[in-house]
C-alpha cells in the first residue's frame, strides 16, 4: 500500500513538472545547430515549430546556470524585442506561434533572465 502511494506521488510530481510548458515541448532533444537554423521557426500542420518541440529538453538540461555568452553560442543571437522588465539583462528568443490558447494570434517567446553573477537563473514562456 505504501509503495503504491509513493509511486502515485512521484508520478504526479513528474507529470506536474512537465505540465508547466505548452503541449509538444518535450517532443525532441535540444540540438544547437537546428535551433539556430531559421527553418526551426517554420511550423507544421499542428502549428508547432522545431524550437517549440525542443523547448522542454533545452530548459531541463541546457539552460539554467549558464552565462549569456555560452547561451548565445548555443542558441544564436537573441532578439531585442522582448525584455520582461525593461532593465535587462535578459535574452529573448522567439519559439513560434502561441500554443495552448483558444485564439493563438501572438508569438511565443523564451525569456531567459540572469542573476548578479551573470548566470541564467530563471526563464519564462511569454506571448507578445
Amino acid at each position: 500500500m505504501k509503495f503504491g502511494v509513493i509511486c502515485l506521488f512521484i508520478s504526479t510530481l513528474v507529470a506536474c513538472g512537465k505540465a508547466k510548458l505548452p503541449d509538444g515541448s518535450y517532443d525532441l532533444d535540444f540540438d544547437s545547430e537546428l535551433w539556430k537554423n531559421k527553418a526551426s521557426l517554420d511550423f507544421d500542420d499542428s502549428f508547432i515549430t522545431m524550437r517549440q518541440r525542443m523547448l522542454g529538453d533545452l530548459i531541463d538540461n541546457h539552460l539554467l546556470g549558464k552565462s549569456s555568452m555560452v547561451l548565445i553560442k548555443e542558441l544564436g543571437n537573441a532578439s531585442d524585442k522582448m525584455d520582461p522588465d525593461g532593465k535587462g539583462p535578459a535574452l529573448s528568443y522567439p519559439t513560434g506561434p502561441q500554443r495552448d490558447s483558444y485564439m493563438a494570434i501572438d508569438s511565443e517567446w523564451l525569456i531567459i533572465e540572469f542573476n548578479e553573477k551573470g548566470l541564467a537563473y530563471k526563464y519564462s514562456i511569454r506571448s507578445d
Side-chain angles (χ1 to χ4, degrees):
M1 177 69 177
K2 288 181 184 180
F3 180 73
V5 171
I6 291 171
C7 287
L8 177 63
F9 179 72
I10 290 172
S11 297
T12 303
L13 284 177
V14 169
C16 290
K18 290 190 176 186
K20 64 186 170 197
L21 295 176
D23 293 339
S25 296
Y26 289 90
D27 289 353
L28 296 174
D29 290 339
F30 173 71
D31 180 306
S32 176
E33 294 307 311
L34 181 57
W35 178 278
K36 291 186 278 188
N37 187 319
K38 289 189 185 281
S40 67
L41 288 169
D42 295 341
F43 53 86
D44 58 19
D45 294 339
S46 62
F47 296 101
I48 299 177
T49 68
M50 297 301 273
R51 282 188 178 187
Q52 289 171 322
R53 293 183 186 282
M54 293 187 279
L55 197 56
D57 185 53
L58 168 63
I59 289 169
D60 289 351
N61 301 308
H62 304 276
L63 188 70
L64 300 180
K66 294 191 176 178
S67 70
S68 61
M69 288 180 59
V70 168
L71 289 175
I72 290 170
K73 183 176 180 182
E74 291 181 5
L75 303 176
N77 291 326
S79 172
D80 58 1
K81 181 174 180 179
M82 298 282 283
D83 186 358
D85 58 10
K87 299 176 185 176
L91 297 177
S92 63
Y93 292 91
T95 61
Q98 181 183 17
R99 297 179 284 169
D100 294 346
S101 173
Y102 180 71
M103 301 242 340
I105 58 173
D106 292 324
S107 296
E108 181 181 283
W109 291 79
L110 169 63
I111 310 296
I112 307 164
E113 296 182 54
F114 297 86
N115 62 20
E116 63 281 347
K117 294 180 182 176
L119 301 176
Y121 81 100
K122 184 172 143 181
Y123 72 89
S124 60
I125 308 300
R126 301 206 182 157
S127 297
D128 62 0

